[in-house]
Amino acid sequence: MRHTISVLVENKFGVLSRISGLFSGRGYNIESLSVGETIDPQISTMTIVTTGDDQIIEQITKQLNKLIDVIKVTDMTELEHVEREMVLVKIAPRQEDKPEVLNIAEIFRGRIVDSSQKTYTIEITGDEKKIEAFIELMKPMGIKEFVRTGKVAISREGVRKK
Amino acid sequence: MKMTGSEIIIESLRREGVKHIFGYPGGVVLNIFDALYDTKDVQLILTRHEQGAIHAADGYARATGKAGVALVTSGPGATNTVTGIATACMDSIPLVVLSGQVPTMLIGNDAFQEADIVGITRPCTKYNYLVKDVNELSKIIREAFHIATTGRPGPVLIDLPKDVTTAKTEFHWPHIDVRSYKPTYEGNKYMITQSAHLIAKAKKPVIIAGGGVISSGAAKELHEFAELTRIPVAMTLMGLGGFPGTHDLSLGMLGMHGTYYANRTVQDSDLLIAIGMRFDDRVTGKIDAFAPHAKIIHIDIDPTSIRKNVRVDIPIVGDVRRVLTVLNKILKEEIQEQWEEVRKAWLKQVEAWKAERPMTYTWSDEVIKPQFVVEKIYELTKGDAIIATEVGQNQMWAAQFYKYDKPRTWLSSGGLGTMGYGFPAAIGAQLAHPGKLVIDIAGDGSIQMNIQELATAIVNKLPVKVAILNNRYLGMVRQWQELFFNERYSYSHLDVTPDFVEVARAYGALGLRATKPSEVEPVLKEAFRVKKPVFMDFVIDWKEKVFPMVPAGAPIDHMLFEETEKKGEKKLKAVK
């Protein structure tokens, strides 16, 4: 099963390497990883998406906790949480498809962040399902380039997971 | 007063109570070595190879419980310690390794003798540091000792760029608090109480004691627990000495080369109390068939050890000594069981297994059996010695035929299985315990991996004894080839081994040889009598194998014995 794990770490050089080394050294897979400073510049948050059965996920969270630079590990999948990912898509549509592209972008609340004679660059933010749906619709339109940030996640307050 | 980085290092070591460090100089650590020159209370033992230094520091740590310290130069000096660091990491041994590094300005430039040792050792240290600012130095050293020696112990490396060792600053000794490192020492009381009830209900319980018993100093508490509840104790390789090998409740070692009765007891048990151990594959054999009827209580300070390899019914994260203290109290105060009576039937069964297949070997009048040498060492020392081993057959015979009654008297590379470990480790242990008899039980292959350290022993007047069980083969490899590779002895015959007696003499040590069983005792007596390092060359039966043996991947009660092997029933194949 896929898990989104949020890790608070000391913002020091080498920490990313310790975390990625933990995954590679034990044969665990990282599907996506995003890192950024928190309000406290000495602390960073890493959001890691990984897959594994319960035993593997338990080992991953324990092993992460064991790293000296790791302050806190939260398996978001066990909590009610909000996930977001941002994607930038550069599309080179045929002339006749241009209105459709703009239409779809609007439906998905995308923003055109760059345009040229032949291309649009669209920014889309959302959870995984939304992103996947948008990409599916855009594929026939001629995706030229495509980058995604990887997921970030935050827990929801006052809600217990059923 | 301002001090240089090098002086700060020495002062910090002094404040950490370090008396001895093991090391080897080189370009970028010359400033540190210069500072050591005038230092009286921190003594450096110059080894002949950095691998010797790191294993000696490890042996020192295992024999004392304190952190072992090594100091080496950058590049090859640092990379030569990697095997020893990985050895210590696998066995949870506290080390602080100080490695020189090229000046900060040059890092990443492929400078002379530059190696990214922080990157290289990241997966085999508990933690490591690159010091970039001399003002951080004392704090980092203090943290390093704290991290190395607390929680589940392990090696910590500090990489010291040359400019940091020359830069000056005021010395300070700050209070440290690593906010992201808070080991759990106290076990969960509810879980411990549950364990006590499970123990009271169990009909066929067994304890498996591992290295955690030794590192947490819990031998006394384990002894009390086992005697109180009358539960037999099997030990892992790392756990030897954690419970007296001479005790009637001792089952000796379990696992691949464990005793028949230890493995049978574990496989038949209905409750397994795993204490400070991690269910290594050499202990469990085929994991699905391991202790199939048993509920498992697992006590360990490292949460990742729990449920890593086996299912666990009651996990207890905590310091083994503290958990056992609470458990003993609960058992005494809340559960008043007639333990003697309750255990009668089970212990009778265990005794029957002991009688059925005790640890034996076939005696010979002509040729020396290695087990006989180990037995004789035990008999002559009355168990009052520190035994280090190399890796392979020598290690297994030393584990099987010597009875370890006290913790920290058995020094052996368990997890990594490092040949060349024993001799330098024995040197480290001898330095820590000058009055003790320290013996390295070695093979002719292993001893050649760090034989140069004989010079270290001579120069420092460390009268380490090395008993070489010389079969002219890499014996364990040969054994596997005989049993599982149709006797195709691919590159396991050493052909020419040096004359160890002459080697000893060349270094200024004493060399002795025994080729007949009758010569074993006189050689050992002479070796133990003289006050200098001795190499004893025991020319043993090269065909001798380690039994019992569980083929890799088989359940641990599928054991191969000497006599079944002789009857030609040996074709128990290794399970892939």
Side-chain angles (χ1 to χ4, degrees):
Chain A
M1 192 188 147
R2 182 179 287 177
H3 285 246
T4 304
I5 298 170
S6 180
V7 191
L8 279 187
V9 299
E10 296 286 349
N11 187 7
K12 290 182 190 167
F13 67 90
V15 174
L16 178 60
S17 158
R18 286 180 207 280
I19 304 246
S20 61
L22 187 160
F23 279 79
S24 63
R26 293 177 188 272
Y28 306 140
N29 187 36
I30 295 181
E31 290 192 3
S32 84
L33 169 74
S34 73
V35 192
E37 267 184 20
T38 61
I39 298 292
D40 178 350
Q42 293 186 341
I43 299 177
S44 297
T45 307
M46 293 190 182
T47 310
I48 302 170
V49 179
T50 185
T51 44
D53 59 23
D54 288 353
Q55 199 230 349
I56 288 175
I57 298 296
E58 179 180 332
Q59 267 299 309
I60 289 175
T61 52
K62 281 175 169 180
Q63 293 284 356
L64 283 168
N65 263 312
K66 188 173 161 181
L67 292 178
I68 307 282
D69 288 324
V70 168
I71 302 164
K72 194 180 174 196
V73 180
T74 314
D75 185 352
M76 286 295 181
T77 316
E78 291 177 354
L79 307 169
E80 284 294 341
H81 67 287
V82 181
E83 292 183 356
R84 287 293 178 269
E85 187 174 12
M86 192 181 84
V87 180
L88 296 173
V89 197
K90 195 183 284 175
I91 300 168
R94 289 183 298 265
Q95 192 60 35
E96 63 267 31
D97 287 337
K98 278 190 174 173
E100 180 64 3
V101 166
L102 295 177
N103 240 342
I104 297 171
E106 197 178 330
I107 291 167
F108 281 83
R109 295 186 198 176
R111 291 202 300 146
I112 312 290
V113 291
D114 187 34
S115 65
S116 68
Q117 283 193 333
K118 291 195 173 141
T119 63
Y120 291 124
T121 301
I122 304 169
E123 174 197 314
I124 286 283
T125 308
D127 60 15
E128 204 176 332
K129 277 182 193 151
K130 179 177 167 186
I131 303 276
E132 295 298 334
F134 178 74
I135 293 165
E136 278 312 306
L137 287 173
M138 281 300 171
K139 265 185 192 165
M141 303 294 164
I143 294 177
K144 202 174 168 210
E145 232 181 302
F146 164 73
V147 285
R148 52 203 295 179
T149 56
K151 218 182 265 182
V152 290
I154 199 163
S155 64
R156 293 176 66 186
E157 282 302 306
V159 192
R160 286 261 154 261
K161 183 135 186 171
K162 285 149 263 165
Chain B
M1 198 190 81
K2 289 204 168 181
M3 290 167 88
T4 65
S6 299
E7 289 162 347
I8 290 171
I9 293 166
I10 310 295
E11 180 56 26
S12 302
L13 292 177
R14 192 182 282 129
R15 289 189 187 217
E16 286 293 340
V18 174
K19 298 265 186 302
H20 301 106
I21 61 184
F22 302 86
Y24 206 95
V28 298
V29 286
L30 281 173
N31 291 293
I32 308 174
F33 273 78
D34 193 61
L36 272 170
Y37 198 65
D38 296 321
T39 308
K40 292 281 173 292
D41 40 359
V42 181
Q43 189 198 351
L44 183 124
I45 305 300
L46 175 67
T47 56
R48 293 300 180 268
H49 191 301
E50 286 90 353
Q51 193 185 356
I54 194 83
H55 289 324
D58 176 311
Y60 189 90
R62 288 188 209 227
T64 60
K66 289 190 250 173
V69 184
L71 168 62
V72 296
T73 193
S74 63
T79 55
N80 275 342
T81 65
V82 172
T83 300
I85 293 173
T87 303
C89 198
M90 283 286 254
D91 290 347
S92 310
I93 304 304
L95 294 183
V96 173
V97 185
L98 307 166
S99 60
Q101 183 53 278
V102 300
T104 318
M105 286 274 297
L106 288 179
I107 291 178
N109 282 14
D110 298 333
F112 176 66
Q113 292 195 329
E114 181 186 355
D116 173 16
I117 196 65
V118 170
I120 290 169
T121 59
R122 203 168 278 137
C124 62
T125 49
K126 185 171 175 187
Y127 196 57
N128 60 17
Y129 297 88
L130 170 64
V131 186
K132 286 191 155 174
D133 178 354
V134 70
N135 292 303
E136 301 242 283
L137 189 50
S138 53
K139 175 172 160 273
I140 285 176
I141 294 174
R142 207 169 178 188
E143 263 183 28
F145 276 89
H146 173 64
I147 290 172
T149 53
T150 54
R152 178 176 176 178
V156 177
L157 178 134
I158 308 173
D159 205 19
L160 300 156
K162 186 181 173 185
D163 53 318
V164 172
T165 68
T166 54
K168 286 190 171 184
T169 189
E170 287 293 332
F171 181 84
H172 63 300
W173 192 237
H175 172 73
I176 51 154
D177 177 36
V178 190
R179 65 177 160 186
S180 52
Y181 173 68
K182 304 275 184 250
T184 307
Y185 292 104
E186 305 298 339
N188 180 300
K189 185 79 190 283
Y190 174 77
M191 292 291 193
I192 301 175
T193 310
Q194 290 298 103
S195 304
H197 288 290
L198 212 51
I199 289 163
K201 261 195 283 175
K203 296 268 182 299
K204 302 190 281 184
V206 60
I207 295 166
I208 303 183
V213 171
I214 290 156
S215 54
S216 77
K220 191 171 134 268
E221 287 73 14
L222 173 61
H223 197 264
E224 191 187 344
F225 171 52
E227 286 203 328
L228 172 71
T229 54
R230 300 296 297 158
I231 299 178
V233 184
M235 280 161 277
T236 69
L237 186 83
M238 292 302 300
L240 292 175
F243 186 77
T246 49
H247 198 285
D248 64 336
L249 287 170
S250 169
L251 300 167
M253 184 171 72
L254 84 159
M256 180 175 274
H257 291 295
T259 62
Y260 168 74
Y261 36 96
N263 287 4
R264 275 305 299 266
T265 306
V266 167
Q267 287 301 78
D268 212 54
S269 66
D270 65 354
L271 176 66
L272 211 149
I273 306 145
I275 307 177
M277 55 84 72
R278 59 186 175 83
F279 293 99
D280 179 270
D281 57 278
R282 288 302 195 253
V283 163
T284 62
K286 186 177 197 273
I287 202 101
D288 309 330
F290 178 71
H293 318 294
K295 286 197 183 279
I296 298 178
I297 298 170
H298 192 178
I299 307 168
D300 202 283
I301 195 153
D302 180 0
T304 68
S305 291
I306 294 174
R307 278 206 287 262
K308 184 169 65 182
N309 299 333
V310 298
R311 75 209 142 71
V312 172
D313 298 280
I314 302 186
I316 303 173
V317 177
D319 174 70
V320 163
R321 191 174 59 81
R322 296 197 205 182
V323 172
L324 285 180
T325 305
V326 176
L327 179 60
N328 287 340
K329 193 160 176 284
I330 294 172
L331 287 165
K332 273 185 284 187
E333 290 171 4
E334 293 175 29
I335 300 176
Q336 277 121 14
E337 193 63 74
Q338 297 302 311
W339 297 107
E340 286 282 351
E341 203 48 42
V342 173
R343 291 284 174 260
K344 216 170 213 171
W346 175 231
L347 288 178
K348 202 175 153 204
Q349 173 63 68
V350 171
E351 285 307 313
W353 284 325
K354 281 187 183 180
E356 188 186 343
R357 284 189 189 276
M359 285 302 295
T360 54
Y361 60 94
T362 309
W363 168 256
S364 161
D365 284 329
E366 279 92 48
V367 58
I368 300 174
K369 295 287 182 170
Q371 301 93 331
F372 174 64
V373 177
V374 176
E375 270 185 351
K376 269 285 163 203
I377 292 173
Y378 178 69
E379 188 188 309
L380 293 174
T381 60
K382 300 180 185 69
D384 184 24
I386 294 174
I387 304 292
T389 76
E390 304 293 339
V391 164
Q393 288 183 319
N394 62 80
Q395 179 185 31
M396 291 302 121
W397 286 319
Q400 291 174 328
F401 290 91
Y402 186 104
K403 291 187 173 61
Y404 302 88
D405 275 346
K406 291 196 189 104
R408 305 199 179 284
T409 57
W410 161 254
L411 322 173
S412 192
S413 168
L416 199 67
T418 307
M419 288 172 71
Y421 166 81
F423 185 34
I427 289 172
Q430 184 78 79
L431 185 76
H433 298 290
K436 275 259 178 190
L437 184 57
V438 182
I439 305 162
D440 175 34
I441 296 180
D444 51 311
S446 288
I447 190 63
Q448 292 185 68
M449 283 211 183
N450 272 316
I451 201 163
Q452 76 287 346
E453 297 310 329
L454 188 47
T456 310
I458 293 282
V459 170
N460 294 285
K461 300 193 166 50
L462 299 167
V464 171
K465 319 298 177 195
V466 183
I468 303 169
L469 306 175
N470 185 351
N471 56 9
R472 286 79 67 205
Y473 270 100
L474 300 174
M476 191 58 96
V477 173
R478 197 202 66 76
Q479 173 167 342
W480 281 56
Q481 288 171 333
E482 181 183 330
L483 296 174
F484 311 121
F485 289 88
N486 296 320
E487 302 179 44
R488 288 156 57 85
Y489 300 121
S490 182
Y491 303 100
S492 56
H493 186 213
L494 293 178
D495 249 324
V496 177
T497 45
D499 182 330
F500 292 111
V501 173
E502 289 300 320
V503 170
R505 195 169 298 156
Y507 274 98
L510 176 64
L512 300 167
R513 177 171 293 122
T515 54
K516 293 198 292 281
S518 59
E519 293 165 356
V520 170
E521 187 167 328
V523 162
L524 285 169
K525 278 186 169 163
E526 174 64 5
F528 298 163
R529 190 186 60 76
V530 298
K531 300 271 182 283
K532 59 176 180 177
V534 183
F535 271 11
M536 293 165 271
D537 185 14
F538 294 104
V539 180
I540 61 159
D541 182 358
W542 66 272
K543 292 190 289 300
E544 194 63 27
K545 289 185 283 296
V546 179
F547 288 112
M549 178 179 192
V550 179
I556 57 167
D557 48 359
H558 285 206
M559 304 181 87
L560 196 54
F561 301 95
E562 190 179 17
E563 63 273 21
T564 47
E565 198 258 335
K566 276 200 180 122
K567 274 188 252 156
E569 298 165 15
K570 71 174 177 191
K571 297 302 173 198
L572 248 177
K573 288 287 177 208
V575 182
K576 291 267 154 52

